[in-house]
Amino acid sequence: MSKFCGSLLLLALITFQSCIASQEVVSRKLKFSPRARPPYQNHAQMARYVAHTVDWCVIGTTSTMKGREGLPFTNILSVSDGPVNNSTGVPYFYVTDLDQSGVDIAKNNSVSISMSEYQTGYCSDNNIDAESPLCTRLTIGGKFVKVTDKAEIDFALNALFSRHPEMKSWAIAHQFYPAKVEIDFIWLIDFYGGAAIISPKEYYAVKL
């Protein structure tokens, strides 16, 4: 009985928080165009929106560093899922095996990447903290692989160079190449009430 009452209390608390949050968002004079940002109820669309809009992410790998073998390691990587006018949902990267993340991936290419809507300016413009559920957080998991298909290499390089022009000068010195995450897991928080798990099929079905 006590567990049942506790569950009801938790449900009531979440519902109350959601109502308060809804009123809070509506009452604010949002500076970001609501047409550019998907409704929070559409999780797959929100995930694609964040993945396309951000320019960098945090990548998590399993460390191979001496004394930290098997422990979590994170790093910053620039990312692009396509040119500004062509979102694919595929996170592309321009990387070198000399980087610590590359060393880790050579041994275990299962990774997670995390992105924050804070990069878009929506959260800061509306005084929303980066850790607030109202500031969307997206984590994508999968296998980190080198792009090998010629047509996809051309697309990936255009996607990356069009949004990160400096990358064009990197290849000669450190043997950079395009890579991507083959997605098998998508986790999203864009409102109160807990995270949404989105299937890759739902994610890729979105048209931006």
Side-chain angles (χ1 to χ4, degrees):
M1 183 66 180
S2 60
K3 287 185 178 179
F4 177 72
C5 292
S7 298
L8 283 178
L9 181 61
L10 179 60
L11 179 61
L13 179 60
I14 290 172
T15 303
F16 175 73
Q17 286 181 322
S18 297
C19 291
I20 293 298
S22 297
Q23 293 173 1
E24 186 178 315
V25 171
V26 169
S27 65
R28 290 175 176 169
K29 292 182 178 179
L30 298 180
K31 300 174 185 177
F32 200 85
S33 169
R35 274 184 260 177
R37 184 182 191 266
Y40 70 85
Q41 299 94 334
N42 193 331
H43 301 306
Q45 190 175 356
M46 181 65 83
R48 284 289 301 275
Y49 162 75
V50 172
H52 181 59
T53 307
V54 303
D55 289 319
W56 58 270
C57 66
V58 176
I59 185 168
T61 57
T62 303
S63 176
T64 57
M65 286 186 284
K66 187 176 180 180
R68 295 196 60 81
E69 296 91 343
L71 296 175
F73 176 75
T74 60
N75 202 355
I76 302 295
L77 287 183
S78 295
V79 64
S80 172
D81 83 328
V84 172
N85 62 349
N86 184 10
S87 166
T88 66
V90 179
Y92 288 109
F93 307 88
Y94 200 45
V95 295
T96 171
D97 292 334
L98 300 176
D99 182 77
Q100 182 59 49
S101 296
V103 175
D104 293 346
I105 288 165
K107 187 170 182 179
N108 181 352
N109 71 338
S110 292
V111 304
S112 291
I113 59 172
S114 292
M115 306 171 178
S116 171
E117 189 183 13
Y118 208 90
Q119 286 188 58
T120 70
Y122 171 82
C123 305
S124 58
D125 285 350
N126 293 288
N127 299 314
I128 301 172
D129 190 84
E131 195 176 340
S132 167
L134 302 179
C135 188
T136 304
R137 283 173 273 158
L138 172 66
T139 293
I140 291 173
K143 300 293 186 182
F144 195 96
V145 299
K146 186 174 184 176
V147 178
T148 56
D149 177 78
K150 178 62 170 64
E152 189 176 14
I153 287 174
D154 291 342
F155 179 86
L157 290 177
N158 179 53
L160 290 158
F161 293 169
S162 65
R163 296 177 64 170
H164 304 280
E166 183 187 331
M167 286 181 171
K168 292 180 182 179
S169 65
W170 295 355
I172 298 174
H174 296 296
Q175 300 176 332
F176 279 76
Y177 58 86
K180 65 180 179 179
V181 172
E182 293 182 338
I183 299 172
D184 60 25
F185 174 79
I186 303 165
W187 178 97
L188 178 94
I189 285 185
D190 63 353
F191 201 71
Y192 293 104
I197 304 299
I198 303 160
S199 71
K201 183 178 179 179
E202 291 176 286
Y203 175 81
Y204 284 121
V206 172
K207 303 296 182 186
L208 288 185

